[in-house]
Amino acid sequence: MVFFKIVDLEKLLDSTHDPIADFINGATADVIEFTSNLLFEQFKTQTEKLNKMETYPQLCKRAEGIGCEIHKVVFRGFQAPEALQRMHDEAIEKRTALTLESETEEQAQSLKDFKLNKEFERAEKNQDLEKKQLVHRQHMENMKHQQVILQEQQAHDQKIKQQKEEQNLTMQFYNSLKDMGVELTKYLVAQEQKPEKLIQIVSDKNNNATNPQIHLHNKE
């Protein structure tokens, strides 16, 4: 749609017999120049420029030449030939199918990546748990080993202490014997000697008979 006004009526009447045809020719020339360097996909993304006055220099110049002034141009869409429109529709369908296929594949890959990441995280958690359990078992074994060593050390210390106490008691006993005038050397020798024979005589207290007399003879 082209919005214009007549500025000079006499000039309009003298310059043209069909101002609308002049506008169509000028606009067509500008549109051809605009689209000649664009691909179809580029054209679809730049159609908003067809609503701007700077896109139509030839239209404005032609309008000025016939006594008119262009105020605004409104682009209301385009209509392609049937064959081109069919090709365009097929291309749109293919692009839509490819886009849907690509999005579906992308979602499938994202789901696989998500599952792999979760499996990796689960494996890491299991490894961390196993590592913590191993550290705990080693810690408990070390504590148990240290406890055994401590108990053995305490038992050894107690044995040493007991031996020292026994030695102290023995020394006190020997000192008491020494104070009583006992010769320790003879005493110790006597303690180490064992009799070759031991004769035990038991009398019957309930028997009123005379106690027996015993004579021992040493045979050489």
Side-chain angles (χ1 to χ4, degrees):
M1 295 180 63
V2 178
F3 295 86
F4 68 96
K5 73 176 181 177
I6 299 174
V7 179
D8 189 343
L9 181 58
E10 292 182 0
K11 187 175 181 180
L12 174 64
L13 295 175
D14 293 337
S15 301
T16 181
H17 297 287
D18 190 353
I20 301 302
D22 292 338
F23 292 158
I24 292 174
N25 292 333
T28 301
D30 288 329
V31 171
I32 291 174
E33 183 177 358
F34 173 74
T35 58
S36 60
N37 296 323
L38 298 176
L39 298 176
F40 184 62
E41 295 297 329
Q42 294 175 332
F43 166 72
K44 290 192 300 180
T45 60
Q46 300 183 31
T47 53
E48 73 281 354
K49 292 183 179 180
L50 293 175
N51 292 311
K52 298 179 180 180
M53 292 299 299
E54 57 266 23
T55 307
Y56 304 95
Q58 297 184 58
L59 172 62
C60 294
K61 184 177 181 180
R62 182 56 184 166
E64 184 180 357
I66 61 176
C68 296
E69 181 179 348
I70 304 298
H71 286 279
K72 183 170 62 173
V73 177
V74 178
F75 174 71
R76 300 182 63 184
F78 66 94
Q79 183 176 3
E82 183 177 353
L84 180 61
Q85 186 64 40
R86 185 169 57 253
M87 293 174 59
H88 177 59
D89 293 340
E90 291 176 355
I92 291 176
E93 290 179 0
K94 289 181 180 179
R95 285 196 300 272
T96 302
L98 290 174
T99 301
L100 292 175
E101 183 179 356
S102 175
E103 291 178 352
T104 302
E105 182 64 21
E106 184 177 356
Q107 291 178 356
Q109 294 297 329
S110 298
L111 180 59
K112 289 181 180 179
D113 292 340
F114 176 77
K115 290 181 178 180
L116 288 175
N117 290 333
K118 289 300 181 182
E119 290 178 358
F120 181 73
E121 291 177 0
R122 188 178 299 108
E124 284 188 338
K125 290 181 180 179
N126 290 334
Q127 289 179 356
D128 292 340
L129 180 60
E130 292 176 357
K131 184 178 180 180
K132 290 179 180 178
Q133 290 177 347
L134 178 60
V135 171
H136 178 69
R137 287 196 298 269
Q138 291 178 346
H139 179 68
M140 295 301 294
E141 290 177 358
N142 291 335
M143 290 183 61
K144 183 178 180 180
H145 181 65
Q146 292 176 0
Q147 184 67 23
V148 171
I149 293 176
L150 179 61
Q151 291 177 353
E152 291 178 351
Q153 184 65 37
Q154 290 177 349
H156 178 71
D157 293 342
Q158 182 65 28
K159 183 177 180 180
I160 296 298
K161 182 180 179 181
Q162 185 176 358
Q163 289 177 352
K164 288 182 178 181
E165 291 178 352
E166 291 177 354
Q167 291 176 357
N168 291 332
L169 291 174
T170 302
M171 291 301 297
Q172 291 177 4
F173 176 71
Y174 289 161
N175 290 330
S176 63
L177 291 177
K178 185 178 180 181
D179 294 338
M180 295 170 60
V182 177
E183 293 185 8
L184 295 180
T185 303
K186 294 181 178 181
Y187 174 79
L188 294 175
V189 171
Q191 289 293 323
E192 293 297 329
Q193 291 180 350
K194 295 182 179 179
E196 295 179 357
K197 295 181 180 180
L198 178 63
I199 300 174
Q200 184 176 4
I201 300 173
V202 179
S203 62
D204 189 359
K205 295 181 180 180
N206 296 324
N207 191 356
N208 295 325
T210 305
N211 293 331
Q213 294 182 357
I214 299 173
H215 299 279
L216 298 176
H217 298 279
N218 185 16
K219 291 183 179 181
E220 295 180 358

